[in-house]
Structures are given as C-alpha cells and as structure tokens.
C-alpha cells in the first residue's frame, strides 16, 4: 500500500517501487497508464499550489491519450515522456530539492526509450524521484510549521 501524504493541501502518494514492479507485471503493463495519469495529476496539483505555470497546465488525460492512441502517430508518446521528466524536474526545483539530488532529464527520457522495447524501467527512476520530492516537500512544510524556516505555511 502506498504512503499517502498531504503536501500544501495536495494529496500525493509515496509509492513502493516493488509494488509498482509487481503491478506492472500482474496487469501486463496496464498499471503503467494508471501510474502515468496519477503522477501527472499530482504534479499538476502541486504546481498549481506553488504557482508554477508549466505544471499547472498539465493535462493528465492528454498524457495518457498520448501514451495510448498517440502510438499511431509515433511522436506523441516521446513528447509526453520528455515533458513528464521535465515536469518532475520543475516540481523538484519548486520544492527546493537540491539540483544534484534531482531527476536527470536526459537519463529519464533514455530510460523511457529503453523501456519502450523492454520493461518500462523509467517508472522506477521517475517514481523514486517523485517519492523524494514528496518527502522533501512534506519535510519543508513541517519545518515551516515548527518555525524553522522563518515563515508559517500558507
């Protein structure tokens, strides 16, 4: 079961990488579409709360559409994957995650390309960075509430 957190009024999940792997195998990849929708939604909601325009304009449904029907045109899944890794990076920057701890945009996209032929390995890379993002953002909110950041949470 995923650990649920509330970060600045946004409900997010810290998902176990093992559970993600198991669900990908058991559902023969169908879980990937659910996972993709959920991370895009979490990023959109978090970005809207933080006022990050690029994140608040994310459309989770269009992302899933690109990953399914988009394969008929070939290009949309690659564009969506590239943007998703970029969105994780933007969310990490907005939350104050140190650049050396953040997602590597190129590596995340390359994992998508490799995963296209094999197992979607980018799930593990992106989800581990999403987990780090949510834990970091939650810790910062807790520190602010305790007066350790010089300001109270909004």
């Amino acid at each position: 079961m995923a650990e649920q957190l509330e970060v600045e009024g946004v409900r997010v999940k810290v998902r176990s990488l093992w559970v993600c792997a198991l669900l990908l195998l058991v559902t023969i990849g169908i879980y990937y579409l659910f996972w993709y929708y959920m991370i895009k939604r979490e990023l959109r909601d978090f970005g809207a709360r933080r006022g990050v325009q690029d994140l608040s304009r994310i459309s989770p449904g269009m992302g899933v559409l690109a990953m399914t029907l988009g394969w008929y045109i070939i290009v949309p899944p690659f564009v969506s994957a590239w943007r998703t890794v970029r969105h994780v990076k933007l969310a990490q920057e907005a939350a104050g995650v140190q650049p050396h701890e953040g997602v590597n945009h190129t590596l995340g996209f390359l994992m998508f390309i490799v995963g296209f032929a094999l197992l979607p390995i980018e799930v593990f890379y992106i989800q581990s960075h999403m987990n780090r993002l949510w834990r970091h953002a939650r810790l910062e909110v807790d520190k602010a509430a305790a007066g350790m950041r010089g300001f109270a949470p909004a």
Side-chain angles (χ1 to χ4, degrees):
M1 182 144 196
E3 175 187 356
Q4 291 194 6
L5 298 176
E6 186 162 325
V7 179
E8 299 178 23
V10 177
R11 296 194 64 73
V12 297
K13 288 188 178 180
V14 175
R15 296 173 180 86
S16 165
L17 301 181
W18 291 105
V19 172
C20 286
L22 182 65
L23 287 170
L24 282 168
L25 291 172
V26 169
T27 64
I28 314 166
I30 301 293
Y31 174 73
Y32 180 83
L33 299 174
F34 171 78
W35 172 82
Y36 199 71
Y37 179 87
M38 295 307 291
I39 67 161
K40 303 267 289 174
R41 193 196 68 185
E42 289 170 355
L43 288 167
R44 180 199 61 203
D45 295 347
F46 180 73
R49 290 291 288 189
R50 284 286 175 118
V52 181
Q53 253 186 351
D54 284 348
L55 295 178
S56 62
R57 291 191 308 231
I58 294 174
S59 173
M62 289 302 287
V64 171
L65 190 63
M67 287 297 182
T68 54
L69 297 178
W71 282 110
Y72 290 112
I73 305 172
I74 299 172
V75 175
F78 295 99
V79 172
S80 185
W82 179 263
R83 287 182 178 168
T84 298
V85 179
R86 181 174 156 267
H87 292 148
V88 173
K89 187 174 187 71
L90 287 171
Q92 287 179 330
E93 289 171 359
V97 173
Q98 296 297 317
H100 66 278
E101 294 176 350
V103 69
N104 182 317
H105 197 165
T106 306
L107 180 61
F109 182 69
L110 288 175
M111 286 184 168
F112 172 78
I113 292 173
V114 170
F116 170 69
L118 304 169
L119 179 71
I121 59 175
E122 80 275 8
V123 170
F124 311 114
Y125 182 68
I126 292 173
Q127 188 59 56
S128 67
H129 280 282
M130 294 284 290
N131 292 347
R132 181 179 296 155
L133 165 65
W134 301 139
R135 286 188 177 119
H136 177 82
R138 181 68 218 169
L139 183 62
E140 290 299 312
V141 167
D142 292 344
K143 286 180 180 178
M148 296 173 66
R149 290 292 180 237
F151 57 89

